[in-house]
Amino acid sequence: PGSAVFAEWGYERNPRLPLAFANHAYCDEEHTRRGAWRGTFCGLGIIHGFENSWGPFADLEHDQRGLEYLLHLHRFFTQIIRFDQLSPAPDLIAPGEYAPGKKPLALASPEQDVVAVYLPVGGEVFLRLPRSLDDYGMEWFDPCSGELADARGDATTASFITPREAQNGHPQDWVLLLRGEG
């Protein structure tokens, strides 16, 4: 409920170009991917820039690495599940202590027969679901590769542990997807 503004969170830096803004030093493809997933899991659209599209450096002939990650996100929310049928569902995440930036984010359909959970640094998530895990098909979506894989959860605690902990020297982010069966 209410309104929100999701501002542009930075331009993905092209390391082949000179550093024009010191605060862009860490705006790499990891930053692009994670910012996009965090934004969508807040129920917001994506506004992103690439250094190649910035006037003084305009290099529109070459895509930057982060574009591939945005294409995975687009496919997830248009071909696998539909973004327009989901809303933020923070109550599905069981209460717990999370360091800043590490708390999982959830989206769900009104009936909660489709639930998606973004784990920005992987690890374990405990869910408070309206039905048994047996009522859902469960998959992991890898935001780095765009691949889906089977997921298994602990039916007693409704908890899940991500498949891999690290990617490119960073904690791996994952998306858990639960879809009602039957």
Side-chain angles (χ1 to χ4, degrees):
S3 61
V5 174
F6 183 47
E8 185 176 47
W9 67 87
Y11 275 69
E12 182 178 321
R13 184 165 183 277
N14 184 336
R16 293 177 293 153
L17 300 172
L19 181 61
F21 301 101
N23 60 345
H24 284 192
Y26 302 102
C27 293
D28 61 4
E29 64 269 14
E30 295 283 321
H31 179 82
T32 296
R33 185 184 72 247
R34 291 172 194 276
W37 284 95
R38 285 180 199 273
T40 54
F41 270 80
C42 290
L44 301 167
I46 300 171
I47 301 171
H48 186 66
F50 294 92
E51 236 175 21
N52 285 11
S53 66
W54 185 53
F57 293 150
D59 176 7
L60 303 179
E61 301 298 316
H62 300 96
D63 290 330
Q64 289 180 243
R65 172 82 173 125
L67 179 62
E68 178 183 337
Y69 293 143
L70 295 180
L71 293 174
H72 295 324
L73 181 134
H74 178 265
R75 180 177 147 262
F76 182 80
F77 282 114
T78 59
Q79 296 176 23
I80 297 173
I81 60 175
R82 291 194 34 202
F83 180 73
D84 65 323
Q85 296 178 349
L86 306 173
S87 297
D91 292 343
L92 292 179
I93 307 296
E97 296 294 321
Y98 298 97
K102 296 185 177 184
K103 183 176 183 177
L105 303 168
L107 293 172
S109 63
E111 302 80 22
Q112 296 184 343
D113 59 333
V114 175
V115 174
V117 179
Y118 179 61
L119 290 86
V121 293
E124 187 170 19
V125 63
F126 292 85
L127 301 177
R128 298 188 315 187
L129 297 167
R131 49 179 94 171
S132 164
L133 285 185
D134 294 335
D135 294 334
Y136 291 100
M138 300 171 278
E139 297 173 286
W140 288 109
F141 182 82
D142 182 345
C144 294
S145 69
E147 296 175 4
L148 282 165
D150 288 339
R152 288 203 171 103
D154 181 323
T156 306
T157 61
S159 64
F160 294 83
I161 298 174
T162 55
R164 182 175 58 239
E165 292 297 316
Q167 172 78 14
N168 299 327
H170 297 282
Q172 168 73 44
D173 54 336
W174 286 94
V175 178
L176 175 63
L177 177 58
L178 307 176
R179 293 187 265 194
E181 296 183 334

